[in-house]
Amino acid sequence: MKISELSPEFNRSSGDPLSSQISDLESLIVSAESLSSASPTSLSTLASSLRRQLTLLTPLAPFPEGSQLHLWKLSFRLWNACVDLSNCGDRPSISLAELRQCAADMLLIAGTPSNVPSASVKAASFLHRTGMIWHELGLLDRAAKCFEKGTDLVDASSGNEEELRVLLDLNLARSQIAWEGSDKTLAIAFLTRSKALLLKSACADAYKSLAEQFLSYGKVMLSKHESNASPNASDLLSEALDICEKGIGVTGKYSKNAELEALKSRCLRFLSAERLHNEDFEGALKCVRVLRNSWKQDETEHPSVGYVAMKGWLGIGNVQEGEKELMGLVKNKEAAEGVVVAAAEEYLKQAGVEAAPAVMVALAGRCRVGGAAAAVRVVKRVLDGGGGVGGKGRAKAVAELAADERVVRLFNGDESKRERGAMHSLLWNCGAEHFRIQNFEVSAELFERSMLYVSREEESRSRRANCFRVLTLCYLAISQLDRAQEFINEADKLEPSITCAFLKFKIHLKKKEDEEAIKQLQSMLTYADFHPEFLTISTHESLQNKSTRVALSSLSTLLSLYSPGKLMPLSEVSVVRNLTTILLREPNTEFEILKHAKLVRSRMVEIGVESFFGKGASGAREINWFAGNCWNFGLKAGRDMKHELCKEFLELAAEFYGTAANIGDRIGDANQAMACKCLILSAGAMLSLEERKKGCLSDLDVKKGLEMLERAGKLLSLISTDDSINAGFHYLHTYNSYQLLNKSLTNMQSQQTQLIKSYASTKACTPHHLLQLGLIASLGPRPNLEAAEFAFRSSLTSLLSLSHPDYHSIGVILRKLASISSHSDDLAYEVYRQAYQIIVGLRVGEYPEEEGKWLAMSAWNRSSLAVRLRQGEAARKWMKLGLDLARQLSGMEKYVTNMEECIKGFEKVCDGERGGEESHTNYQLVLA
């Protein structure tokens, strides 16, 4: 605005430094008066020049009275120029604010002329306005400095109304700056300081400004919803209300009184909301009563009052009063539809589902503007008011309202097509939300109601079919299977699809109709939109319903669809693996599992290992899975004496393990070792099968078994010999190989002997295994005495080297060696002599009694032939050896006596023959 000149023209004298500075300052102000807001660069330059000129002028203070007046005039001229520039511009700029700051600072530099009325108040007013502009620009520090300078110019104790008003404005401004700077304590302190100023003022605007400031702070704190926030919203709102009441009391019947009354009502409304937020329902109702008592009869009640009153009554449990307040709010024309609907929803939360129909009818009457559109808005408002889904009660109430014939009739006709679609969407979405949270009964009801708003025209066939399918899912979930079947049949009539076929399949599963379910599986293939993924899902559903037979049929059907280059939801190997996994859970499925394992082998050969199993570690895992299962089933079949199955499973396992080792698996050696074990056990199963059938292996089988064992022999080094189980595989390899060589049509005894010698040289060799090999070689239709003797002698040597020899095994070996050597007297004597050396020195009973008796008796009995042949030395040798053995064994004392007598008699006979006497006596020396 324009400010008139304060004094007559000031005449400065030439040559005076002060006059020169003021003259330069005036030139700059003239430039400001000629500028426009369209040149921000010029404004910035001018502001800098003015600031520099004021800096030069400051040291010349204090100024004479005339200079002071002149500077004041220049300040007002600069301020007016800023006003003009501001009126031309769109918004304040920093450069323009700098010019206003220069105008205010000019008054501070000039001082307060004595002949200018209320000079300090005018200067403070300039600073207040400048600070407000800085505040508007967001420069709070600059604004705060202006307000502080202005406060210093005003005297709070003067009692001047104008001065008090300026000081109040400065305090309010400083409070706002502190509040925005997050120093809320200081902000409240400024407002508290301002309350003291009101005691000296009867201005309604002053009371109104301070109350509005308290109210604005209270609203901010109330919006934070923090009960322990500082400052407290309740205190701030109470202060605002108190100031309004004091202002009304002081101002009396002034015209401004109506504004204070309106502000008081606002304070009461927010205070009631604060009480409601803190669940002080009695306090909220008290505020409502005060509000209603202060209003005139011709005034319309603010909608928030009825809402707060309703919430207050509901909070203290008075539902009837809450209903009255709700109906009053419904009748209030000033209340927005959103407020009415929100209030109705809050009431329904407390009143329950029973009150929903009456409330919805009231809402429909309140919101009904255009028939169908109004009904859509009612339902939408009710649903949206609860966050979308709402509770079951509200959903059912909406369903009842939507099913009302009066409501449905509103949507008849083409003109309501859009609203009909909107109502269908609302009910559908609500049903979908309840479906997601598994309120299936509620969702089914909503979906059925939504179909009331779908036309039966051809264009709606797809939507109706979709509704029927979703209803099928709902009734499936609540196990009303007949109802579900009814709906899916209707959907299939309207729009045949694979989805309908799958849902029919699912219903058959639920009804435990496995035959029908399998038929439905086959019919799926005939649908145009069929995708193999549905067979995968069908398998999951079958397993979930414990229908193993259907699951196997589903996977078998899926497996039949595989062909080169065809995209499928699962790899072929995954399908076979899942089939096998299901079969593993069922009894007596070994042959089915074997069939699928053979299929895996054939597919592996047909399309390649990586193409079938996959590449890298994933492919190796797949192969190892099949290998492991074949291994486990082979062992189980062996334990169950099913040697044919055992042989085939282990043969397959060997192939799988060998393949896994050859594709770069990190555990290749372990797989090769497992392949070796499988080959050995498979050959063993072949031999066991022959023994069980009491038949004879064909030459082809023998060759095949030997080839398998030959492959295993190349891998034997990979099997550890650290434990007895793994060492046993080395023995089994030798044993099986020996047996198969024994069944060959050609004489393979030299190979058998070499086989046992090779085994004896390994770390896996044990004396007992050599003993067993010796026994095998010494028995049967084709004994190999050379191999047997080597095995027995090697076993004996190993046993004798032990710290605690097994003398029972030693006894068996010595008996066998004695039997093998019986054709040669010298060799036999060597064996018996070795036995004697072993027995000498042993504790009583340490050597097996039976074996010892056999040695002693058989050695003695060998002398009988020599006696008959008149071979005295040979007879004496065997008699002496038999006697020596008997003397070392317990339990043979009576035999020793007889032997000694026989030897004496034999010696007498021998002496008589040497003396020329002939004896015709024939001694039978064989011991019984």
Side-chain angles (χ1 to χ4, degrees):
M1 62 180 180
K2 295 290 185 177
I3 301 177
S4 60
E5 296 180 354
L6 297 174
S7 63
E9 188 68 34
F10 170 70
N11 295 318
R12 70 176 191 272
S13 54
S14 59
D16 184 5
L18 177 60
S19 301
S20 176
Q21 294 295 336
I22 292 175
S23 176
D24 293 341
L25 185 61
E26 187 171 5
S27 299
L28 292 172
I29 292 171
V30 170
S31 300
E33 290 172 335
S34 62
L35 281 176
S36 68
S37 61
S39 54
T41 305
S42 301
L43 283 175
S44 178
T45 304
L46 180 60
S48 299
S49 301
L50 280 169
R51 177 58 60 194
R52 188 166 50 254
Q53 191 63 35
L54 289 174
T55 303
L56 296 173
L57 188 63
T58 301
L60 302 178
F63 305 115
E65 184 75 18
S67 297
Q68 285 182 324
L69 287 172
H70 194 186
L71 287 172
W72 272 67
K73 284 176 59 179
L74 292 176
S75 174
F76 275 91
R77 285 174 59 189
L78 179 57
W79 185 270
N80 289 334
C82 291
V83 171
D84 290 337
L85 291 170
S86 179
N87 290 336
C88 296
D90 295 332
R91 57 184 180 180
S93 65
I94 293 178
S95 299
L96 194 56
E98 288 284 2
L99 290 178
R100 288 183 184 268
Q101 186 69 55
C102 290
D105 288 346
M106 202 182 301
L107 295 181
L108 293 178
I109 293 170
T112 54
S114 58
N115 57 349
V116 176
S118 303
S120 59
V121 176
K122 290 182 172 62
S125 179
F126 266 43
L127 288 166
H128 173 257
R129 294 175 192 172
T130 304
M132 295 303 291
I133 291 171
W134 286 122
H135 175 257
E136 187 178 353
L137 292 169
L139 300 172
L140 302 185
D141 291 340
R142 299 289 298 270
K145 288 179 182 179
C146 286
F147 297 144
E148 289 169 8
K149 291 177 182 179
T151 304
D152 293 338
L153 295 176
V154 183
D155 183 10
S157 61
S158 66
N160 183 280
E161 186 71 33
E162 184 181 4
E163 197 164 0
L164 290 175
R165 180 61 192 179
V166 172
L167 183 58
L168 177 63
D169 290 341
L170 287 168
N171 281 343
L172 295 177
R174 294 180 72 183
S175 173
Q176 187 67 35
I177 293 296
W179 184 274
E180 293 179 12
S182 299
D183 192 350
K184 294 182 173 57
T185 304
L186 181 61
I188 301 303
F190 281 124
L191 295 186
T192 305
R193 187 185 302 174
S194 300
K195 287 171 62 178
L197 298 176
L198 296 181
L199 299 175
K200 304 175 184 180
S201 174
C203 177
D205 284 338
Y207 283 93
K208 180 172 174 286
S209 298
L210 184 56
E212 283 182 338
Q213 197 77 347
F214 269 112
L215 177 60
S216 66
Y217 292 168
K219 288 162 63 176
V220 171
M221 298 310 295
L222 182 60
S223 66
K224 292 185 177 181
H225 302 297
E226 298 175 2
S227 57
N228 57 348
S230 179
N232 188 276
S234 178
D235 295 339
L236 294 171
L237 294 170
S238 297
E239 285 286 356
L241 180 62
D242 184 56
I243 292 170
C244 286
E245 289 177 343
K246 288 180 179 178
I248 292 170
V250 170
T251 56
K253 296 182 180 180
Y254 294 159
S255 60
K256 298 281 185 169
N257 202 338
E259 295 181 5
L260 281 173
E261 289 283 0
L263 184 58
K264 176 184 174 182
S265 297
R266 287 174 59 203
C267 293
L268 281 168
R269 289 205 306 274
F270 281 103
L271 191 59
S272 66
E274 186 274 334
R275 294 284 188 267
L276 194 64
H277 171 68
N278 290 316
E279 298 186 356
D280 180 8
F281 301 114
E282 293 286 357
L285 289 172
K286 183 178 178 181
C287 291
V288 169
R289 282 193 290 270
V290 173
L291 267 170
R292 287 176 172 170
N293 291 335
S294 63
W295 278 334
K296 298 176 183 179
Q297 291 184 352
D298 57 342
E299 288 181 334
T300 303
E301 184 177 85
H302 194 276
S304 65
V305 178
Y307 183 85
V308 170
M310 184 203 72
K311 288 273 287 182
W313 287 118
L314 292 176
I316 62 175
N318 194 333
V319 178
Q320 291 182 348
E321 289 296 328
E323 184 181 5
K324 290 179 182 178
E325 293 292 346
L326 174 62
M327 294 309 169
L329 186 62
V330 170
K331 295 175 183 178
N332 190 340
K333 295 181 180 180
E334 297 295 325
E337 286 185 8
V339 174
V340 175
V341 173
E345 194 166 34
E346 290 295 329
Y347 171 74
L348 287 174
K349 285 181 183 179
Q350 186 77 12
V353 180
E354 295 78 9
V359 172
M360 289 211 177
V361 169
L363 285 176
R366 171 66 167 78
C367 303
R368 184 169 295 172
V369 177
V376 171
R377 284 201 303 272
V378 170
V379 175
K380 188 175 186 305
R381 289 293 185 184
V382 172
L383 293 175
D384 289 348
V389 175
K392 287 185 179 180
R394 184 161 56 251
K396 287 187 176 182
V398 169
E400 289 176 10
L401 180 62
D404 193 313
E405 293 182 359
R406 293 169 295 181
V407 177
V408 175
R409 278 198 297 270
L410 294 173
F411 292 85
N412 293 337
D414 293 338
E415 66 279 359
S416 301
K417 185 176 180 180
R418 180 179 176 183
E419 287 76 14
R420 187 164 54 245
M423 178 64 88
H424 171 77
S425 297
L426 283 173
L427 295 170
W428 176 274
N429 292 338
C430 185
E433 290 294 333
H434 279 279
F435 187 89
R436 275 191 283 273
I437 61 176
Q438 300 185 7
N439 290 336
F440 299 115
E441 292 183 2
V442 176
S443 61
E445 187 176 1
L446 286 164
F447 286 136
E448 285 195 60
R449 299 297 181 264
S450 73
M451 290 194 70
L452 296 172
Y453 299 91
V454 179
S455 69
R456 292 185 173 272
E457 298 173 1
E458 187 66 27
E459 61 183 17
S460 300
R461 285 177 67 90
S462 179
R463 182 180 290 187
R464 288 174 62 213
N466 194 32
C467 290
F468 282 128
R469 286 192 292 267
V470 173
L471 282 166
T472 302
L473 291 175
C474 292
Y475 286 110
L476 263 174
I478 58 179
S479 298
Q480 293 187 19
L481 302 181
D482 291 336
R483 196 80 189 276
Q485 195 163 28
E486 176 187 341
F487 281 120
I488 198 59
N489 288 336
E490 291 297 322
D492 202 31
K493 290 176 186 177
L494 288 170
E495 189 179 55
S497 66
I498 186 61
T499 307
C500 294
F502 174 75
L503 289 175
K504 286 183 178 181
F505 165 79
K506 191 169 182 177
I507 292 169
H508 288 309
L509 278 180
K510 292 281 187 182
K511 287 185 169 185
K512 303 299 180 184
E513 298 172 348
D514 287 358
E515 288 293 340
E516 294 299 322
I518 293 172
K519 289 179 183 178
Q520 191 62 42
L521 270 177
Q522 300 302 322
S523 71
M524 285 187 192
L525 305 177
T526 62
Y527 282 82
D529 56 345
F530 168 77
H531 190 276
E533 182 69 37
F534 279 93
L535 290 174
T536 306
I537 301 170
S538 299
T539 304
H540 291 304
E541 288 291 334
S542 303
L543 292 175
Q544 189 174 356
N545 286 277
K546 300 181 180 179
S547 298
T548 306
R549 183 184 168 201
V550 181
L552 291 172
S553 175
S554 176
L555 285 174
S556 299
T557 304
L558 179 62
L559 193 60
S560 67
L561 300 178
Y562 281 84
S563 61
K566 186 175 182 179
L567 292 176
M568 299 293 282
L570 291 174
S571 61
E572 188 175 1
V573 69
S574 298
V575 177
V576 182
R577 173 165 41 79
N578 288 326
L579 257 172
T580 307
T581 302
I582 296 171
L583 288 169
L584 286 171
R585 303 173 187 171
E586 298 298 310
N588 304 320
T589 56
E590 295 89 347
F591 289 100
E592 282 294 316
I593 294 171
L594 179 64
K595 181 181 75 173
H596 288 104
K598 289 180 177 179
L599 172 66
V600 170
R601 179 179 60 183
S602 64
R603 293 295 290 162
M604 176 179 73
V605 173
E606 286 174 16
I607 66 176
V609 176
E610 290 190 348
S611 298
F612 184 74
F613 289 110
K615 298 180 180 179
S618 175
R621 281 196 299 271
E622 291 286 0
I623 301 175
N624 282 324
W625 189 89
F626 283 99
N629 271 291
C630 289
W631 165 266
N632 292 334
F633 260 95
L635 296 183
K636 182 179 181 297
R639 287 193 296 269
D640 296 341
M641 307 300 288
K642 298 176 181 178
H643 302 300
E644 182 71 30
L645 276 174
C646 175
K647 177 179 75 71
E648 295 203 48
F649 271 120
L650 290 172
E651 191 176 342
L652 286 169
E655 288 194 45
F656 291 141
Y657 278 124
T659 304
N662 293 331
I663 65 169
D665 188 11
R666 290 180 298 174
I667 55 172
D669 288 348
N671 281 329
Q672 292 281 28
M674 287 300 298
C676 177
K677 292 177 183 180
C678 292
L679 291 168
I680 293 169
L681 292 178
S682 180
M686 183 187 298
L687 292 169
S688 299
L689 180 64
E690 178 204 26
E691 182 180 349
R692 184 172 66 84
K693 290 183 176 180
K694 301 186 183 301
C696 185
L697 285 177
S698 66
D699 191 43
L700 288 176
D701 287 338
V702 171
K703 288 181 179 179
K704 180 180 178 182
L706 288 172
E707 286 174 2
M708 291 165 60
L709 290 171
E710 184 180 358
R711 286 165 53 201
K714 296 176 182 178
L715 304 173
L716 264 178
S717 61
L718 298 174
I719 298 180
S720 170
T721 58
D722 295 338
D723 59 84
S724 59
I725 295 177
N726 284 326
F729 281 99
H730 289 260
Y731 165 71
L732 284 176
H733 176 265
T734 305
Y735 173 85
N736 292 338
S737 298
Y738 186 95
Q739 292 285 52
L740 286 170
L741 286 171
N742 212 30
K743 297 178 186 301
S744 177
L745 297 177
T746 58
N747 189 335
M748 307 293 284
Q749 289 197 347
S750 61
Q751 288 91 330
Q752 289 175 322
T753 305
Q754 185 58 42
L755 182 69
I756 292 176
K757 288 181 179 180
S758 298
Y759 172 69
S761 65
T762 63
K763 292 181 180 180
C765 175
T766 66
H768 293 91
H769 285 159
L770 283 171
L771 172 58
Q772 294 298 323
L773 290 172
L775 291 172
I776 294 165
S778 64
L779 301 175
R782 300 170 69 178
N784 187 341
L785 297 182
E786 181 185 357
E789 183 179 3
F790 174 81
F792 287 139
R793 290 189 181 281
S794 299
S795 176
L796 181 61
T797 303
S798 298
L799 285 170
L800 291 173
S801 67
L802 298 175
S803 58
H804 299 286
D806 179 4
Y807 287 104
H808 182 274
S809 298
I810 290 173
V812 173
I813 293 171
L814 289 172
R815 182 190 289 221
K816 289 294 182 182
L817 282 172
S819 299
I820 292 173
S821 305
S822 61
H823 65 281
S824 171
D825 195 64
D826 292 338
L827 291 175
Y829 185 79
E830 183 183 345
V831 172
Y832 280 93
R833 192 66 189 169
Q834 185 179 12
Y836 172 74
Q837 291 171 353
I838 292 170
I839 293 172
V840 170
L842 294 180
R843 294 190 301 272
V844 175
E846 191 169 2
Y847 193 86
E849 185 176 339
E850 292 299 323
E851 294 296 333
K853 284 182 180 181
W854 184 89
L855 281 172
M857 293 163 65
S858 61
W860 179 269
N861 289 338
R862 286 184 72 90
S863 66
S864 62
L865 179 61
V867 169
R868 283 195 293 269
L869 296 175
R870 304 290 180 173
Q871 296 175 354
E873 288 299 324
R876 188 177 293 108
K877 176 178 68 174
W878 284 108
M879 284 181 182
K880 187 176 183 306
L881 183 57
L883 178 60
D884 290 342
L885 284 168
R887 285 171 177 169
Q888 300 298 323
L889 299 168
S890 63
M892 294 197 71
E893 291 78 6
K894 63 178 182 177
Y895 293 103
V896 171
T897 303
N898 292 335
M899 287 179 177
E900 289 175 346
E901 291 177 357
C902 287
I903 290 175
K904 288 178 182 180
F906 175 75
E907 290 296 340
K908 287 179 181 181
V909 171
C910 288
D911 291 342
E913 288 181 352
R914 283 194 295 271
E917 299 177 1
E918 290 188 11
S919 175
H920 301 284
T921 304
N922 184 19
Y923 290 95
Q924 178 63 39
L925 301 177
V926 179
L927 294 175

